[in-house]
């Protein structure tokens, strides 16, 4: 019995020793990994210098063509649709009947209103004659006049209700949506169709504060699109908002005459070129250096191998470069790639300038 106890004790001691050995080994490996991670502390980046560059007077903007006028035409009467005279893509003229709603009861109401009107008109004319002969009183004539005028109002109301059974195009344009089908029952204000006038197109853009002061209403612009390479559309700055957003951008509206030979569709991306007349030099950095967005930009500036996050203010857009109006000075080294791994105060190694 004692022998078994001794054997058991020896086994337990050996097992306990093996566990301690394994834990010590694992701890050493973890500390080794930590040490390895600590040693790899520099983040590889590429950088570029903030430098003065020649500027041209052309301001490049990107926007989307939108219809000059666009509405959803709705029913002004309730009932079943008995005619549907359009499909998506059709061009319709102003006043074209797009749809017709069952007007049976409206026509009967109009006929009844017309009969009442004719009756009261004749009675009123007769009462006027009788009044001259003192055959009716002034009060009776006045009451008949009121009845005649009320019949006239009812007739006009019945005409309007009958007219409301026709859904017409409010202006000339293209059908952009079809919201119902023949035989469907519609209520008042049910959408029937979308219509857009693209004889003229408008582009609404947001420009920076510095650019907004270089532009003016009535200024001519050139518009291009990748859809028609080499084709230039002429446009005009119609409006510049007098109030900027919290990001110091100002909405402007540009009107473009559409081209019958190379017609633009609403929703097409457009490149707008505006000659600002401003030339000279400006402090610029690559667009790739921007962290977050151009509206709220920051960059990482490298100084003695340390990356510091700095807020900046940008000016004009020169495609792959941006003008910097504050927050940097000439010669500052900004990170152009590797920012995703950076934090303020991180150590960096520059692999390319």
């Amino acid at each position: 019995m004692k022998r078994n106890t001794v054997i058991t004790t020896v086994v337990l001691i050996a097992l306990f020793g093996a566990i301690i050995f394994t834990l010590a080994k694992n701890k050493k490996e973890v500390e080794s990994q930590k040490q390895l991670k600590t040693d790899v502390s520099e983040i590889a980046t590429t950088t570029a210098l903030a430098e003065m560059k020649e500027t041209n007077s052309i301001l490049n903007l990107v926007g989307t063509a939108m219809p000059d006028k666009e509405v959803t035409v709705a029913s002004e009467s309730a009932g079943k649709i008995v005619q549907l005279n359009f499909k998506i893509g059709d061009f319709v003229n102003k006043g074209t009947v797009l749809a017709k709603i069952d007007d049976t009861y409206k026509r009967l109401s109009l006929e009844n209103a017309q009969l009442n009107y004719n009756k009261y008109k004749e009675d009123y004319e007769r009462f006027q004659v009788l009044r001259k002969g003192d055959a009716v009183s002034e009060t009776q004539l006045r009451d008949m006049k009121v009845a005649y005028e009320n019949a006239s109002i009812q007739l006009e109301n019945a005409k309007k209700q009958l007219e409301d059974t026709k859904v017409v195009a409010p202006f000339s344009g293209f059908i952009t949506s079809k919201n119902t089908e023949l035989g469907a029952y519609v209520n008042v204000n049910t959408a029937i169709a979308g219509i857009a006038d693209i004889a003229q197109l408008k582009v609404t853009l947001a420009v920076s504060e510095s650019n907004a002061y270089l532009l003016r209403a009535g200024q001519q612009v050139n518009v291009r699109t990748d859809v028609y390479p080499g084709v230039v559309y002429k446009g005009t700055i119609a409006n510049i908002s007098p109030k900027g957003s919290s990001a110091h951008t100002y909405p402007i509206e540009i009107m473009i005459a559409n081209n019958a030979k190379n017609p633009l569709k609403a929703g097409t991306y457009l490149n707008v070129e505006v000659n600002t007349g401003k030339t000279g030099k400006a402090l610029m950095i690559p667009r790739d250096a921007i962290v977050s967005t151009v509206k709220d930009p920051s960059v990482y500036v490298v100084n003695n191998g340390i990356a510091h996050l700095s807020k900046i203010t940008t000016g004009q857009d020169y495609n792959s470069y941006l003008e910097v109006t504050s927050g940097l000075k000439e010669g500052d080294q900004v990170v152009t790639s590797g920012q995703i791994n950076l934090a303020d105060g991180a150590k960096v190694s520059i692999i390319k300038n």
Side-chain angles (χ1 to χ4, degrees):
M1 191 70 177
K2 281 186 177 182
R3 184 181 177 189
N4 290 339
T5 302
V6 171
I7 292 172
T8 302
T9 303
V10 170
V11 170
L12 289 174
I13 292 172
L15 181 61
F16 184 70
I19 291 172
I20 293 174
F21 176 76
T22 302
L23 290 175
K25 182 181 178 182
N26 290 342
K27 182 180 179 183
K28 186 176 181 181
E29 289 180 357
V30 169
E31 289 177 348
S32 176
Q33 290 293 330
K34 286 183 178 179
Q35 183 63 36
L36 180 62
K37 290 181 180 178
T38 302
D39 292 341
V40 184
S41 58
E42 294 184 347
I43 298 170
T45 62
T46 62
T47 62
L49 296 178
E51 54 188 342
M52 301 299 293
K53 289 182 175 291
E54 294 286 342
T55 64
N56 57 41
S57 60
I58 302 300
L59 175 63
N60 293 297
L61 304 169
V62 178
T64 304
M66 301 301 294
D68 180 28
K69 292 184 288 187
E70 184 176 22
V71 297
T72 297
V73 185
S75 168
E76 295 186 65
S77 180
K80 185 173 72 173
I81 293 180
V82 294
Q83 286 184 28
L84 207 58
N85 308 319
F86 68 91
K87 61 183 182 295
I88 293 178
D90 283 351
F91 179 83
V92 295
N93 290 309
K94 179 180 179 179
T96 298
V97 177
L98 303 177
K100 198 168 186 297
I101 297 166
D102 183 17
D103 63 359
T104 303
Y105 293 111
K106 299 295 191 297
R107 282 190 292 103
L108 292 174
S109 295
L110 177 59
E111 290 174 6
N112 184 61
Q114 186 69 60
L115 290 173
N116 283 335
Y117 173 78
N118 292 340
K119 174 185 178 300
Y120 282 110
K121 181 182 179 183
E122 291 176 1
D123 288 347
Y124 179 55
E125 290 174 349
R126 182 165 55 83
F127 268 51
Q128 285 178 310
V129 174
L130 292 174
R131 178 60 189 148
K132 289 180 180 178
D134 207 23
V136 296
S137 67
E138 186 67 32
T139 300
Q140 288 175 309
L141 178 62
R142 186 174 63 252
D143 289 344
M144 182 54 65
K145 181 182 179 183
V146 171
Y148 165 65
E149 290 175 345
N150 185 60
S152 177
I153 292 171
Q154 294 302 319
L155 178 60
E156 291 303 315
N157 183 55
K159 288 180 179 178
K160 178 66 170 62
Q161 288 190 11
L162 181 62
E163 191 65 24
D164 286 347
T165 61
K166 299 175 183 177
V167 181
V168 301
F171 51 79
S172 297
F174 288 91
I175 299 296
T176 59
S177 65
K178 180 181 177 184
N179 305 94
T180 189
E181 295 293 341
L182 185 67
Y185 185 90
V186 296
N187 290 307
V188 177
N189 293 329
T190 297
I192 302 297
I195 183 170
D197 176 11
I198 59 171
Q200 277 201 114
L201 295 165
K202 63 183 175 184
V203 185
T204 302
L205 302 164
V207 300
S208 66
E209 186 175 273
S210 59
N211 288 332
Y213 281 91
L214 298 175
L215 306 178
R216 65 183 186 279
Q219 192 171 357
Q220 299 296 305
V221 302
N222 290 328
V223 181
R224 306 173 194 272
T225 175
D226 294 339
V227 177
Y228 299 116
V231 177
V232 179
Y233 300 82
K234 296 298 181 181
T236 305
I237 297 176
N239 300 295
I240 302 174
S241 175
K243 183 177 183 297
S245 69
S246 58
H248 294 273
T249 61
Y250 291 75
I252 68 169
E253 191 175 81
I254 296 171
M255 301 303 299
I256 306 164
N258 214 335
N259 186 323
K261 185 178 179 181
N262 303 109
L264 291 169
K265 297 180 184 295
T268 304
Y269 281 116
L270 301 176
N271 299 307
V272 181
E273 298 176 353
V274 187
N275 191 334
T276 64
K278 179 184 177 182
T279 58
K281 286 190 174 184
L283 184 65
M284 296 191 198
I285 60 171
R287 178 184 287 274
D288 293 341
I290 297 296
V291 178
S292 66
T293 65
V294 175
K295 291 183 178 180
D296 185 27
S298 299
V299 295
Y300 281 104
V301 180
V302 178
N303 189 6
N304 295 325
I306 305 296
H308 300 282
L309 187 62
S310 300
K311 295 278 288 184
I312 64 170
T313 304
T314 58
Q316 290 196 48
D317 185 339
Y318 296 96
N319 296 323
S320 59
Y321 281 85
L322 289 173
E323 178 186 9
V324 178
T325 57
S326 68
L328 291 177
K329 63 182 183 298
E330 186 177 5
D332 279 346
Q333 196 171 26
V334 296
V335 176
T336 55
S337 70
Q339 299 99 317
I340 192 171
N341 299 314
L342 290 181
D344 192 24
K347 293 182 180 180
V348 298
S349 62
I350 300 171
I351 59 175
K352 182 181 177 182
N353 280 316

